[in-house]
């Protein structure tokens, strides 16, 4: 595990409160194993996800004034999905600095996309809490592609966005994703999510991260609706 000082050099930000970045780099497997007060980086991930969405939304809105809302939504989804965040995390060598439990360490946790993507969001939150919106925004914008047009046609299927676009044609309809279970040890956990339409379950998914499980639940819902999800 690399030092905090080295990580600060890589990201170009020096923390006033280093406990924030230490927390951001702490996976649940390590927190549970060491019984760390305050737990893992999951709460920071929650906050970082929101900050990331705001920054990317503003960036796209400002730089692509000619693009319609629906297309902007798809582009944002392609930039903040697990696949993209995994790539961003690799650029700052994030895996080297994670605090992992022994089981996760021994099964390749430092390279696992879901863990890196979640930690990337947690780091955003740590910067935001330590220095405010501006440094968090600068950090995020480092990863935005120079040619935004390349992200107009994502190479992956964002099933959640597709499902939302179908449902929002009827304003009275509401989609909700509910975590209904977790299976397996910390280093090999599976999350189970159900997607509900007006409280009725229309899809179920299981994945190595909550995001993956949500995508798979949306995929099943789309297939039930007759959409041929790839």
């Amino acid at each position: 595990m690399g030092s905090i000082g080295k990580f600060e050099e890589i990201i170009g930000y020096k923390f006033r409160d280093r406990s924030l970045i230490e927390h951001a780099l702490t996976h649940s497997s390590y927190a549970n194993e060491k019984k760390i007060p305050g737990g893992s980086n999951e709460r920071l991930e929650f906050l970082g996800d929101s900050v990331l969405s705001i920054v990317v939304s503003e960036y796209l809105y400002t730089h692509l004034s000619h693009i319609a809302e629906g297309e902007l939504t798809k582009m944002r989804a392609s930039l903040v999905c697990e696949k993209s965040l995994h790539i961003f995390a690799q650029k700052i060598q994030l895996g080297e600095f994670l605090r992992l439990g022994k089981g996760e360490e021994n099964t390749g946790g430092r390279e696992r996309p879901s863990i890196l993507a979640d930690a990337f969001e947690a780091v955003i939150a740590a910067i935001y809490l330590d220095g405010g919106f501006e440094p968090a925004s600068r950090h995020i914008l480092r990863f935005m592609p120079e040619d935004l047009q390349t992200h107009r046609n994502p190479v992956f299927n964002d099933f959640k966005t597709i499902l939302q676009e179908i449902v929002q044609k009827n304003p009275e309809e509401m989609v909700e994703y509910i975590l209904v279970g977790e299976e397996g040890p910390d280093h090999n956990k599976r999350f189970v999510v159900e997607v509900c339409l007006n409280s009725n379950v229309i899809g179920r998914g299981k994945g190595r991260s909550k995001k993956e499980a949500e995508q798979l639940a949306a995929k099943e819902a789309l297939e039930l609706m007759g959409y041929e999800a790839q």
Side-chain angles (χ1 to χ4, degrees):
M1 184 175 67
S3 70
I4 296 297
K6 182 180 177 182
F7 186 64
E8 288 177 323
E9 290 179 9
I10 292 173
I11 65 174
Y13 181 81
K14 188 171 181 62
F15 284 86
R16 291 174 293 183
D17 181 358
R18 280 197 168 184
S19 68
L20 285 169
I21 188 59
E22 289 174 356
H23 196 182
L25 297 172
T26 301
H27 186 256
S28 58
S29 61
Y30 186 92
N32 294 337
E33 190 175 287
K34 301 295 184 180
K35 295 180 172 57
I36 295 177
S40 69
N41 61 7
E42 291 177 350
R43 281 172 54 83
L44 284 173
E45 174 205 340
F46 166 78
L47 176 59
D49 179 74
S50 296
V51 176
L52 174 65
S53 182
I54 291 172
V55 172
V56 173
S57 296
E58 181 181 12
Y59 182 72
L60 294 175
Y61 178 84
T62 301
H63 288 81
L64 296 174
S65 58
H66 59 293
I67 302 298
E69 178 270 339
E71 191 70 17
L72 289 175
T73 298
K74 294 175 183 178
M75 292 178 69
R76 179 180 61 193
S78 75
L79 288 167
V80 303
C81 70
E82 182 177 291
K83 181 177 180 179
S84 291
L85 298 186
H86 176 220
I87 293 172
F88 299 160
Q90 289 178 314
K91 290 182 178 179
I92 56 174
Q93 304 166 45
L94 184 53
E96 293 182 19
F97 302 92
L98 295 176
R99 299 202 291 181
L100 302 175
K102 291 180 181 178
E104 199 66 70
E105 181 80 65
N106 294 333
T107 55
R110 292 191 185 278
E111 291 80 39
R112 186 161 295 131
S114 60
I115 291 178
L116 289 173
D118 290 348
F120 185 84
E121 291 180 329
V123 169
I124 290 172
I127 295 174
Y128 171 75
L129 292 173
D130 189 72
F133 185 78
E134 287 304 318
S137 179
R138 285 197 301 270
H139 174 70
I140 293 167
L141 293 178
R142 295 170 55 196
F143 303 94
M144 294 299 100
E146 293 182 8
D147 183 8
L148 285 170
Q149 300 303 317
T150 61
H151 281 260
R152 292 192 63 179
N153 295 302
V155 296
F156 74 103
N157 279 315
D158 180 15
F159 300 115
K160 286 182 65 178
T161 296
I162 296 170
L163 178 60
Q164 186 62 41
E165 289 179 345
I166 292 173
V167 171
Q168 70 185 14
K169 293 177 182 178
N170 299 303
E172 70 278 4
E173 306 283 2
M174 185 180 71
V175 171
E176 182 181 13
Y177 293 86
I178 302 173
L179 178 67
V180 296
E182 298 181 14
E183 304 173 357
D186 286 336
H187 67 274
N188 192 28
K189 193 175 288 293
R190 293 291 190 278
F191 297 90
V192 183
V193 168
E194 290 181 345
V195 57
C196 299
L197 180 63
N198 298 332
S199 301
N200 297 312
V201 177
I202 58 172
R204 185 181 177 93
K206 182 188 295 186
R208 299 198 66 152
S209 68
K210 294 173 187 175
K211 292 183 179 67
E212 181 184 4
E214 289 174 353
Q215 287 286 351
L216 292 174
K219 180 176 183 289
E220 182 175 281
L222 288 167
E223 290 171 345
L224 290 173
M225 292 178 177
Y227 177 87
E228 294 185 3
Q230 300 298 317

